Amino acid sequence: MNPQQPEAITGDDQPADVTAIRYEWTTLQFSLVDQTEVAKQADAWALNAADGGEYLGGWSAENGRLGQIWVLRRFDRIDTLLAAREQQRLHGHPLSQVSSVRSLSVETFAAFPFVPTVTAGSHGPAYEIRDYRLVPGGLPATITGWRTALPRRHSIDPIAVVMYALDGVDRIIHIWPFDSPNERLAKRKQAYEEKAWPPPGAPEVIADADSTMAWPLPQSPLQ
């Protein structure tokens, strides 16, 4: 991994300016034959959007359901994010103009309160994106369990971000960078053998879950 390592996680809450950050998670679906063009357009939009959002990461799926790209952006103020979302709704999302895009969704997330801001840099290039839908009311137990377990897990296997949905069903997305899929297997095995994972009380409230290995888009700040 690159020396640009993510910040340490202690389990203590981050300062107010950090916990106020909101993340925009955009999901695109398209025909596989159009992946190169959609990736180019997604990169260009995220890099050049003049709506207050900061491009943090873009990934294309490499296993599981293919024909998907995800874009992660940061907004320091919720009102800036909401203004950007309103413009997307009223005037059409710029990526909706890409003819090969079949589906586009935009969702709002907040990081767990003890997780620092996303650190851009070369941490991958193999990223695991995990998407958990929780049982109703399952988020508090999830945050409590992760607060206990993530500091140790992060020292073995640094996380890019874990965040919870601000609308829709109770849901979390967590993103983990690795040198390779083989390193992912080795790190997860180590974490389980050392009893650093899973978080206490958290697996019990997972209703269903997806895990996808994804690779960064060419211009993604997270590589």
Side-chain angles (χ1 to χ4, degrees):
M1 283 191 181
N2 185 289
Q4 298 167 292
Q5 291 290 341
E7 294 181 34
I9 293 174
T10 65
D12 296 329
D13 282 355
Q14 295 289 314
D17 61 331
V18 175
T19 58
I21 291 169
R22 295 295 177 259
Y23 293 99
E24 179 189 80
W25 184 246
T26 300
T27 303
L28 304 169
Q29 295 183 352
F30 48 86
S31 172
L32 282 178
V33 72
D34 299 313
Q35 178 162 320
T36 299
E37 178 60 23
V38 176
K40 178 181 176 182
Q41 296 286 348
D43 256 345
W45 163 71
L47 282 169
N48 299 307
D51 58 5
E54 177 187 354
Y55 187 21
L56 294 176
W59 299 270
S60 59
E62 291 295 333
N63 76 333
R65 179 181 292 176
L66 303 180
Q68 295 191 99
I69 279 175
W70 297 277
V71 175
L72 178 67
R73 297 200 302 157
R74 161 185 166 164
F75 287 81
D76 289 340
R77 294 170 54 91
I78 185 64
D79 55 346
T80 306
L81 182 149
L82 292 175
R85 184 70 50 78
E86 185 173 10
Q87 288 299 305
Q88 292 169 3
R89 289 294 191 191
L90 294 178
H91 302 287
H93 195 292
L95 293 176
S96 68
Q97 307 305 313
V98 180
S99 60
S100 51
V101 171
R102 297 178 172 178
S103 173
L104 187 157
S105 68
V106 185
E107 299 158 295
T108 304
F109 285 78
F112 282 18
F114 50 89
V115 173
T117 56
V118 176
T119 304
S122 298
H123 307 303
Y127 282 78
E128 182 183 20
I129 299 173
R130 288 200 160 216
D131 188 340
Y132 292 174
R133 275 76 61 198
L134 310 177
V135 301
L139 183 61
T142 300
I143 292 176
T144 297
W146 279 65
R147 188 189 295 274
T148 299
L150 188 58
R152 187 174 174 197
R153 167 78 187 267
H154 187 66
S155 69
I156 297 169
D157 175 16
I159 194 170
V161 70
V162 53
M163 54 190 186
Y164 61 93
L166 291 177
D167 38 37
V169 300
D170 284 341
R171 175 185 174 205
I172 69 170
I173 289 177
H174 39 123
I175 303 173
W176 304 82
F178 301 95
D179 289 338
S180 68
N182 284 342
E183 189 201 38
R184 170 190 172 271
L185 291 174
K187 291 291 189 180
R188 288 185 63 82
K189 183 172 185 270
Q190 179 184 352
Y192 276 83
E193 287 179 346
E194 295 183 8
K195 302 190 185 305
W197 208 251
E204 292 83 352
V205 296
I206 298 172
D208 62 88
D210 294 317
S211 171
T212 304
M213 294 302 297
W215 264 249
L217 302 185
Q219 302 298 317
S220 172
L222 280 168
Q223 285 289 331

